[in-house]
Amino acid sequence: MLQTPPGESRPLSAIFALRRDPLGWLERIAAQYGDLAQLRVGPYRLVLVNHPDLIHEVLVTKDASFVKGRALDQARDVFGQGLLTSEGDFHKQQRKLIQPAFHRRRIEAYADSMASDAAAAAQRWRDGETFDAAREMMRLTLRIVVRSLFSVDVEDDSAREAGRALDALVAAFTLAPLPGAHLLQRLPIPSYRRARQARETLDALVYGMIAERRRGSHAEGGDDLLSLLLAARDEEGGGGMDDRQVRDEALTLFLAGHETTANALAWSWYLLAGHPEAEARLHAEIDTVLGDRLPRAADLPSLPYTRKVLAESMRLYPPAWAVSRRAIEPVSIGGYPFPAGTGVLAAQWLMHRDPRFFEDPLSFRPERWTEELEASLPKLAYFPFGGGPRTCIGMGFAWMEGILLLATLGRRWSMRLVPGHPVEPSARITLRPKHGVRVTLSRR
């Protein structure tokens, strides 16, 4: 067994590089050291794995040897023991409890309301208007997630308050990828102070809704996700979830259902606005399949190019740009031994742009997503929703929402980028457009 993997030991410079330009730092390390690199980041040992086989080894084959990475220590203070942050047997139990809420037939029940919410948003837009498509997608996915999760309309004051609070939490996660970032929460940093206030706001709202449901009749048998969480029961007689656990899972679903899908859509509009030929092909498919009606869940198989646009957008700009793990026991990766406590990073940002697996990888080419390509890709060469036992439980919900919203909005509108406006990725807890996506609307 090899003993010394390639890499470097510049702990302070690594911290500054991660803070200043995490995506550029990842690209430099991968270019310099290849498929596996051992690094010192502050006081921690970090291993970057940059090949599908190595990522599969970490996320699938040896999953039991790892827990989520230190980057989520800060998130646990907000989301408690939700699916994003819980570990081990407890995570497996929770996933089993929640899984029925994401069965295909269950999530398809949300399709009509998703399309109608998108149509209502498109109705408000004006020909020739210039706006930030990223912010508009945040508003739209907020409307959808609060309706799906809580059966609350986004125009409700509490829904708007929840959206602002969630934005404050995400802003505070800017430092989350850094080793020891959770310790910074103790300092009087304004973003962390706002995050603490935001957490109190969300707690009050969610616990209030839980109490209302427990008093009311639709704690059992309701259609929204909160009702399903309250009604979930362990098939082996373990009972349901207490209020704290329902709160943790609800906030986790709130973040995942709002933030990541909004970013995937924002990057999709950015790419379509800069590639008129792809936009024209999208419009042609939508017109042929839908005519003058809204899309339904049953239309998804008939919208293959729309799905390819979303897939290609998440390839180039994956909302979850990296996955981290921490070894809880000595483990070998790629033939190298590593002690317990070693951090491991697998970056969708790198893998999705790797020329070994994607021809002309920096080009936006939705048509690349053929059955032949998908069959030939190694497992985890493309993993926008993670991989292994911790693959995102809401993956089907996100695919459906993304396709339906692209189709609904694309029925009526075309977008063009505002000349000179900078669009660049900002790697926070998700991959947001740093300065938004300014576009000009044209009615079709």
Side-chain angles (χ1 to χ4, degrees):
M1 180 177 286
L2 301 174
Q3 295 297 317
T4 308
E8 60 186 39
S9 180
R10 292 186 290 177
L12 290 179
S13 66
I15 287 179
F16 292 137
L18 268 172
R19 177 70 179 94
R20 182 178 62 254
D21 182 16
L23 302 178
W25 181 81
L26 287 170
E27 290 170 348
R28 181 184 69 80
I29 294 299
Q32 188 167 351
Y33 299 108
D35 290 347
L36 188 150
Q38 178 177 253
L39 311 153
R40 299 295 296 188
V41 181
Y44 303 115
R45 182 199 310 264
L46 179 67
V47 176
L48 175 65
V49 290
N50 191 40
H51 189 280
D53 293 345
L54 297 175
I55 297 171
H56 190 272
E57 191 174 347
V58 173
L59 298 185
V60 181
T61 309
K62 298 177 180 176
D63 169 71
S65 297
F66 296 94
V67 294
K68 287 289 191 83
R70 289 186 173 89
L72 282 180
D73 288 347
Q74 183 182 345
R76 289 187 182 95
D77 291 333
V78 176
F79 300 104
Q81 293 297 313
L83 284 181
L84 176 68
T85 51
S86 58
E87 302 288 356
D89 290 341
F90 182 75
H91 173 83
K92 294 176 183 177
Q93 172 191 327
Q94 286 302 112
R95 191 176 180 101
K96 184 178 179 181
L97 273 175
I98 297 170
Q99 187 70 59
F102 289 93
H103 285 167
R104 182 175 61 84
R105 290 185 179 177
R106 179 76 75 174
I107 64 174
E108 285 179 352
Y110 302 115
D112 290 347
S113 64
M114 287 178 178
S116 63
D117 283 340
Q123 191 68 29
R124 294 192 303 270
W125 297 354
R126 295 292 177 263
D127 195 26
E129 177 184 6
T130 295
F131 67 22
D132 179 0
R135 182 176 295 276
E136 188 68 14
M137 291 304 102
M138 284 288 180
R139 289 178 58 191
L140 178 54
T141 59
L142 174 64
R143 173 186 289 274
I144 289 171
V145 77
V146 296
R147 189 192 297 273
S148 303
L149 185 55
F150 302 122
S151 291
V152 174
D153 191 273
V154 75
E155 299 306 323
D156 181 273
D157 288 341
S158 62
R160 288 198 295 268
E161 191 176 8
R164 289 192 294 269
L166 191 62
D167 281 345
L169 288 175
V170 172
F173 289 153
T174 304
L175 301 177
L178 299 183
H182 63 289
L183 300 176
L184 296 176
Q185 295 179 84
R186 302 174 184 176
L187 301 177
I189 297 174
S191 63
Y192 286 136
R193 185 171 62 251
R194 289 191 292 270
R196 287 191 290 271
Q197 293 169 348
R199 174 181 171 176
E200 293 172 2
T201 297
L202 288 171
D203 277 353
L205 291 171
V206 174
Y207 278 126
M209 291 181 186
I210 291 172
E212 181 181 341
R213 297 303 174 82
R214 293 226 188 259
R215 289 193 300 268
S217 61
H218 59 191
E220 299 285 343
D223 291 332
D224 61 31
L225 290 172
L226 180 59
S227 296
L228 295 175
L229 292 177
L230 289 167
R233 293 291 183 271
D234 189 335
E235 294 177 357
E236 297 178 1
M241 290 180 265
D242 60 21
D243 285 1
R244 176 55 190 256
Q245 193 58 41
V246 171
R247 173 264 185 205
D248 291 351
E249 302 297 357
L251 282 185
T252 300
L253 295 175
F254 188 24
L255 172 67
H258 170 42
E259 175 78 15
T260 54
T261 305
N263 286 326
L265 288 165
W267 290 117
S268 295
W269 295 124
Y270 163 68
L271 291 163
L272 287 167
H275 296 81
E277 69 290 345
E279 185 191 54
R281 186 168 173 182
L282 174 76
H283 289 159
E285 176 177 272
I286 294 169
D287 293 346
T288 300
V289 174
L290 301 180
D292 199 41
R293 65 173 175 83
L294 293 178
R296 301 183 292 261
D299 294 316
L300 295 180
S302 301
L303 294 167
Y305 190 75
T306 309
R307 182 185 179 92
K308 291 176 182 181
V309 166
L310 185 60
E312 183 73 344
S313 170
M314 291 192 293
R315 184 187 69 81
L316 282 168
Y317 295 98
W321 54 278
V323 172
S324 65
R325 293 289 187 268
R326 176 167 52 87
I328 56 175
E329 61 187 9
V331 65
S332 67
I333 306 171
Y336 293 104
F338 295 101
T342 298
V344 181
L345 195 65
Q348 289 97 327
W349 177 264
L350 295 177
M351 286 309 314
H352 292 187
R353 293 165 167 247
D354 195 316
R356 293 175 293 181
F357 311 110
F358 299 99
E359 182 182 355
D360 193 14
L362 301 186
S363 294
F364 176 63
R365 292 170 46 191
E367 64 275 7
R368 78 169 73 240
W369 289 99
T370 62
E371 292 183 3
E372 291 75 19
L373 173 68
E374 296 193 37
S376 67
L377 277 179
K379 290 183 179 179
L380 299 177
Y382 179 74
F383 60 119
F385 296 95
R390 300 197 68 132
T391 299
C392 175
I393 198 172
M395 179 171 63
F397 187 99
W399 274 112
M400 182 179 76
E401 182 180 4
I403 295 169
L404 290 176
L405 267 56
L406 284 174
T408 303
L409 299 173
R411 286 171 61 243
R412 292 287 177 258
W413 295 101
S414 175
M415 301 184 192
R416 288 295 174 267
L417 298 173
V418 171
H421 180 77
V423 179
E424 59 184 90
S426 174
R428 295 183 175 186
I429 193 170
T430 59
L431 195 69
R432 283 187 171 190
K434 185 175 183 180
H435 307 290
V437 179
R438 300 290 299 178
V439 297
T440 301
L441 292 169
S442 296
R443 188 183 298 276
R444 296 187 58 215

